[in-house]
Amino acid sequence: MPELPEVEILCRNLRRWLKGREVRLEDLDFGCGDRQMVVTEVRRRAKVALIQGNETWVVHLRMTGKVVPSRPEGRTRARFHAGADSYDFEDTRRLGTLSVVDRFDDSRLGPEPWPVERDGSWWQQQLARGGRGAIKPTLMRQELVAGLGNIAANEILFEAGISPYRLTSTLTRWTELADAAHRYLTETVRREQADEIHYINQGGPNPFQVYQRTHCARCGAPVRKGRQQSRSSFDCSACQS
């Protein structure tokens, strides 16, 4: 499902397709009406894409959304026309959103963890504000660190060798967490870069180490599945503590 890496790839694609061009937005489902503007910039903030000109089109993919070159099949909810080219906002479960604002308000979002390489002290300072809870739900709090979702939190903690159930207040391996986060986000963006991303929840292959696996991709030990604040957690008891 779309998280920071996938939205980063979306923004790179939209920048390549739309930036500097007169773009007509054909609204088929969202209720914001047809629009037109010259796109001056496309950028990511947390898990949303911002298409900017004399106004801002805010694209939130959520569970099943994607923007791809137009094609006959697919559940198209909006279409971006740029000259002879067009690109579809597809969304099979209709959970995504597309809105129009004069200025995107990101005052409730924390700082970005990537592409700047944050060190352990930065992560410790940001997450210490989350109180005494377990580390995985704390990683997902958007007001502390913007852009990390459930999959990224599971995979980053696996890479760092940290149990998702460890209390944030007892964590000492901040350098390992910092290194794992930067490595995971950088590698995922590199690996998934394409005109269309195939999500695991839409039948795509599982590229992850523990997420939705029964056995650890590194050591082969059984992967434990649990629930933390209504979200699935996956961890390897042999690799994480």
Side-chain angles (χ1 to χ4, degrees), residues 37-58:
M37 69 178 180
V38 175
V39 173
T40 57
E41 186 55 275
V42 179
R43 67 183 181 94
R44 179 188 58 79
R45 183 66 171 106
K47 293 188 276 187
V48 299
L50 306 174
I51 304 171
Q52 298 176 308
N54 60 358
E55 60 188 12
T56 298
W57 302 341
V58 183

Side-chain angles (χ1 to χ4, degrees), residues 209-211 213-217 221-225 234-236:
Q209 301 293 301
V210 288
Y211 182 77
R213 289 196 177 274
T214 58
H215 290 80
C216 174
V223 168
R224 174 174 56 178
K225 181 179 180 181
F234 298 84
D235 71 302
C236 172

Side-chain angles (χ1 to χ4, degrees), residues 117-142:
E117 190 166 359
R118 308 293 192 177
D119 62 16
S121 296
W122 183 89
W123 285 94
Q124 183 176 14
Q125 181 179 3
Q126 290 302 122
L127 299 184
R129 297 165 49 218
R132 300 181 179 180
I135 183 62
K136 201 203 85 173
T138 304
L139 273 174
M140 296 168 58
R141 288 179 55 175
Q142 300 300 296

Side-chain angles (χ1 to χ4, degrees), residues 93-118:
R93 293 179 61 184
R94 301 182 71 244
L95 298 173
T97 61
L98 173 61
S99 58
V100 177
V101 298
D102 291 330
R103 178 181 175 276
F104 180 69
D105 180 9
D106 66 351
S107 60
R108 296 186 179 183
L109 292 171
E112 297 282 337
W114 186 89
V116 175
E117 190 166 359
R118 308 293 192 177

